[in-house]
Amino acid sequence: MTTRFGYTLMTEQSGPKQLVQYARAAEDVGFDFEVSSDHYSPWLAAQGHAPYAWSVLGAVAQATERVELMTYVTCPIQRYHPAVVAQKAATMQLLSDGRFTLGLGSGENLNEHITGEGWLPVAQRQDMLEEAMQIIRELHTGELVTWDGDYFRVDSARIWDAPDAKVPLAVAVSGDASIKRFAPLADHLIAVEPESDLVQGWKDARRDADLGVDTRSIGQIPVCWDHSRDAAIERAHEQFRWFGLGWSVNADLPTTAGFAGASQFVTPDDVAQAIPCGPDVDAIVAAVQPYWEAGFTDIALVQIGDEGQQRFLDEAAGPILQALRSAVA
């Protein structure tokens, strides 16, 4: 399967009109797909944005023609009821003429606590995610659905505008337990670490469930391109120093102040070691390479910061894509 390279619409660092502009430019420069975060808050106040991802995606579907679109990721268990997520995803699939994939995950406290319902342990959230995915699948049939489950109720609901082709589901996993649970329910794998065991485990779990193994494994990696390496490091440290805290920390922190406190001892040198910063295209290729070597089929780049984002798309994205595709070939 050909390795595809994507562009990330970072709703935490750009306003809605800018994101649509970047989406169009990313398609023009040659990215294969585009993923959008789905946040209520940025991680750090310095990022400064959090528009509603689904409105942005609807506009992006009309501003683009070719690129596939995806949420990376939506949590369908607290801030959104799964029946509402099913409706949104079906509408996006129609607006994009079949280019949409619904990426799902068990959520982050940062975004979900806003409903005032508390923050549940990860095991319970994964139970809820499994049930939510089943509800979404049922509703995407276009049939009338009533559901009385352990966590959710659905009363005589129907997606009236359902696409003929089902909406592909992708799900974020982190280990064997989540793979075994979700591989039979989703079409594609999402992971943020270039671990071949995740990709192989996903294929094995789908094979054990008598499902096709020719699915996509979708990863994501931050970069901070700039003509000045020092400026790139400064921007990455200001806006992305939370990145190295790890999922177990990131999922549970409730506020931007919490992320600022947890990352206060992360230095610019720490960030520069973890994220390729500056104009060196070869360094970016080297950082991305572990993903395709681990078997990932789709790899989305995050260009850090709204400042210089258009310049990245105008000047750097094309050469970076060319270098990546040459390295994979």
Side-chain angles (χ1 to χ4, degrees), residues 110 123 127 137 294:
L110 177 68
D127 288 343
R137 284 291 200 202

Side-chain angles (χ1 to χ4, degrees), residues 131 147-152:
E131 188 174 319
W147 182 281
D148 188 4
D150 293 331
Y151 297 102
F152 300 108

Side-chain angles (χ1 to χ4, degrees), residues 3-327:
T3 305
R4 307 190 315 158
F5 297 101
Y7 174 78
T8 300
L9 299 165
M10 286 291 288
T11 60
E12 302 82 7
Q13 65 184 24
S14 300
K17 289 187 175 181
Q18 288 73 32
L19 289 165
V20 176
Q21 173 186 325
Y22 300 151
R24 186 166 51 241
E27 179 179 67
D28 290 343
V29 82
F31 282 100
D32 300 306
F33 66 100
E34 299 180 10
V35 304
S36 172
S37 54
D38 186 354
H39 271 223
Y40 200 88
S41 301
W43 287 283
L44 294 169
Q47 293 176 300
H49 293 277
Y52 185 53
W54 292 87
S55 297
V56 173
L57 282 167
V60 167
Q62 301 308 293
T64 59
E65 298 178 355
R66 173 187 56 80
V67 287
E68 294 184 21
L69 304 173
M70 178 179 174
T71 50
Y72 200 101
V73 293
T74 289
C75 177
I77 65 174
Q78 186 164 327
R79 182 167 43 118
Y80 304 137
H81 190 283
V84 177
V85 174
Q87 183 189 35
K88 293 191 289 191
T91 299
M92 265 302 301
Q93 189 72 313
L94 293 172
L95 285 172
S96 65
D97 294 322
R99 292 184 282 137
F100 182 68
T101 295
L102 176 60
L104 298 169
S106 57
E108 295 172 278
N109 195 2
L110 177 68
N111 306 299
E112 307 307 316
H113 80 274
I114 58 141
T115 61
E117 298 174 18
W119 184 236
L120 298 171
V122 64
Q124 190 171 353
R125 300 201 312 272
Q126 292 203 341
D127 288 343
M128 296 174 73
L129 178 59
E130 180 177 1
E131 188 174 319
M133 292 173 70
Q134 293 169 340
I135 291 169
I136 291 167
R137 284 291 200 202
E138 288 290 324
L139 284 166
H140 281 172
T141 66
E143 301 296 325
L144 190 68
V145 174
T146 294
W147 182 281
D148 188 4
D150 293 331
Y151 297 102
F152 300 108
R153 288 181 56 83
V154 178
D155 185 11
S156 302
R158 176 182 174 184
I159 303 297
W160 288 90
D161 289 283
D164 293 333
K166 70 177 183 179
V167 178
L169 301 186
V171 65
V173 299
S174 58
D176 291 341
S178 56
I179 286 173
K180 289 178 181 178
R181 169 177 281 199
F182 295 117
L185 297 173
D187 302 292
H188 308 301
L189 159 77
I190 293 172
V192 293
E193 296 290 340
E195 297 179 7
S196 59
D197 289 347
L198 294 176
V199 177
Q200 188 58 52
W202 181 266
K203 291 180 179 179
D204 291 343
R206 288 186 61 83
R207 187 179 294 108
D208 292 343
D210 294 324
L211 297 170
V213 298
D214 189 20
T215 65
R216 297 195 174 277
S217 299
I218 307 157
Q220 186 183 60
I221 182 171
V223 304
C224 195
W225 176 89
D226 196 287
H227 288 298
S228 165
R229 186 169 186 270
D230 289 343
I233 293 172
E234 180 181 358
R235 185 167 68 247
H237 179 258
E238 177 193 47
Q239 299 196 22
F240 239 74
R241 63 183 182 274
W242 57 269
F243 180 72
L245 297 175
W247 175 250
S248 60
V249 176
N250 291 344
D252 286 335
L253 293 173
T255 63
T256 56
F259 275 89
S263 62
Q264 63 181 313
F265 298 114
V266 178
T267 68
D269 285 344
D270 294 332
V271 172
Q273 290 178 17
I275 297 171
C277 295
D280 189 347
V281 171
D282 290 339
I284 293 174
V285 172
V288 177
Q289 184 172 349
Y291 280 90
W292 73 70
E293 289 182 340
F296 282 78
T297 60
D298 296 61
I299 308 159
L301 304 184
V302 179
Q303 165 64 7
I304 296 172
D306 185 72
E307 179 186 358
Q309 191 74 214
Q310 189 63 53
R311 188 175 61 180
F312 165 78
L313 290 163
D314 291 342
E315 300 178 21
I320 290 171
L321 284 171
Q322 183 177 6
L324 287 168
R325 288 168 179 151
S326 296

